[in-house]
Amino acid sequence: MRPFFAVGLVFAGCCSNVIFLELLARKHPGCGNIVTFAQFLFIAVEGFLFEADLGRKQPAIPIRYYAVMVTMFFTVSVVNNYALNLNIAMPLHMIFRSGSLIANMVLGIIILKKRYSIFKYTSIALVSVGIFICTFMSAKQVTSQSSLSENDGFQAFAWWLLGIGALTFALLMSARMGIFQETLYKQFGKHSKEALFYNHALPLPGFIFLASDIYDHAVLFNKSELYQVPVVGVAVPIMWFYLLMNIITQYVCIRGVFILTTECTSLTVTLFVTLRKFVSLIFSILYFQNPFTLWHWLGTLFVFIGTLMYTEVWNSLGATKSQPRKEDKKN
């Protein structure tokens, strides 16, 4: 029953989180820092109360290792959210982040000296081609939409290019963090809830450097139109309502993924997370009417087929189906 509950949390939490993030980014594209800070603060407070037992519980993994992990995690989170301020549309943002398999494979080969099958290399090639198609077509849209003057078109393209660079950096940094976590868990055992708390609590002082931007957007949020919250009946600025819902849905999403990792295999978790990204992408395109051509659909298809091939879903399903037959033969 718990796996089904976890799947419900992942789809409900993660998909709705994307909606509220896009509502925030459409009104104030540069709000990434205040969104990241709010998410970190909420999860850190929750973890301090229930996981760290008000600071009385000693961590299973030494703090010095968490300091390294936190530096990478904080950088990835800030850069990913800030990329929305650099002419990056939400669908491209989601597709690009789906390319984490490429970064994991490349760094796995370089750092861990791993070797993969031809099947997996083929799947990575599909993901790479899919991301290239979506990125290339988005680049054409950026230049064509900025048709007021040649300077405007070049400036828009330059910001978009910087956004692609930021997403690429975050992708590689995230993969490196995953490899670092893998080595830590092998050495000290898996402590996902503890890692979740420290990854969000330790970076909080780093937001001091972003305090000015966070304050400016808090002022802008205060000036937004009032919204009557259902059930409660209290009127609040609508941007603060969007932010609150983004925080809550982000927490639900993370908790769902955590339950899945304790109840299911990593293959199953990857499959459900991939399907969740696909549902989020489709909803973003239809509900927000984001520009999406036939080429974008083709690129998206390549990305998700490549992801499913990499996780060897069909092989695992075939093994599952053949299992009862072997038992029948024994009987």
Side-chain angles (χ1 to χ4, degrees), residues 136-324:
F136 181 74
M137 296 310 296
S138 295
K140 291 178 67 176
Q141 285 180 349
V142 168
T143 53
S144 63
Q145 286 170 359
S146 302
S147 57
L148 294 175
S149 69
E150 192 172 327
N151 287 336
D152 288 338
F154 176 77
Q155 188 177 16
F157 180 74
W159 281 114
W160 176 86
L161 209 58
L162 188 61
I164 292 297
L167 286 177
T168 304
F169 172 79
L171 202 63
L172 292 171
M173 181 66 78
S174 179
R176 182 64 186 91
M177 183 180 71
I179 292 173
F180 184 71
Q181 283 178 316
E182 186 178 332
T183 56
L184 280 185
Y185 290 157
K186 282 181 181 178
Q187 185 177 353
F188 298 101
K190 292 186 177 182
H191 303 279
S192 301
K193 290 182 71 175
E194 177 184 290
L196 182 67
F197 164 63
Y198 283 104
N199 276 338
H200 288 81
L202 294 181
L204 287 177
F207 284 100
I208 293 174
F209 300 104
L210 305 172
S212 176
D213 181 72
I214 292 171
Y215 175 78
D216 290 342
H217 280 87
V219 172
L220 291 173
F221 281 19
N222 285 334
K223 293 178 180 178
S224 62
E225 61 187 273
L226 292 179
Y227 174 75
Q228 193 82 15
V229 181
V231 183
V232 182
V234 178
V236 297
I238 195 167
M239 295 303 291
W240 285 114
F241 175 74
Y242 289 157
L243 181 62
L244 176 64
M245 294 306 296
N246 178 268
I247 294 168
I248 293 172
T249 52
Q250 172 76 2
Y251 177 74
V252 171
C253 174
I254 290 178
R255 291 293 294 161
V257 172
F258 169 73
I259 296 173
L260 267 183
T261 57
T262 58
E263 296 289 330
C264 307
T265 64
S266 59
L267 173 66
T268 306
V269 175
T270 304
L271 173 61
F272 281 118
V273 170
T274 302
L275 291 175
R276 193 278 304 168
K277 287 179 180 178
F278 185 72
V279 172
S280 297
L281 176 65
I282 299 301
F283 190 88
S284 174
I285 294 163
L286 297 178
Y287 184 78
F288 293 101
Q289 297 181 336
N290 285 308
F292 218 71
T293 66
L294 184 61
W295 285 104
H296 285 94
W297 283 113
L298 181 63
T300 304
L301 186 66
F302 280 5
V303 169
F304 286 101
I305 289 178
T307 303
L308 293 177
M309 283 178 63
Y310 184 89
T311 55
E312 297 180 348
V313 172
W314 291 285
N315 289 350
S316 64
L317 289 177
T320 305
K321 287 180 180 178
S322 62
Q323 193 69 31

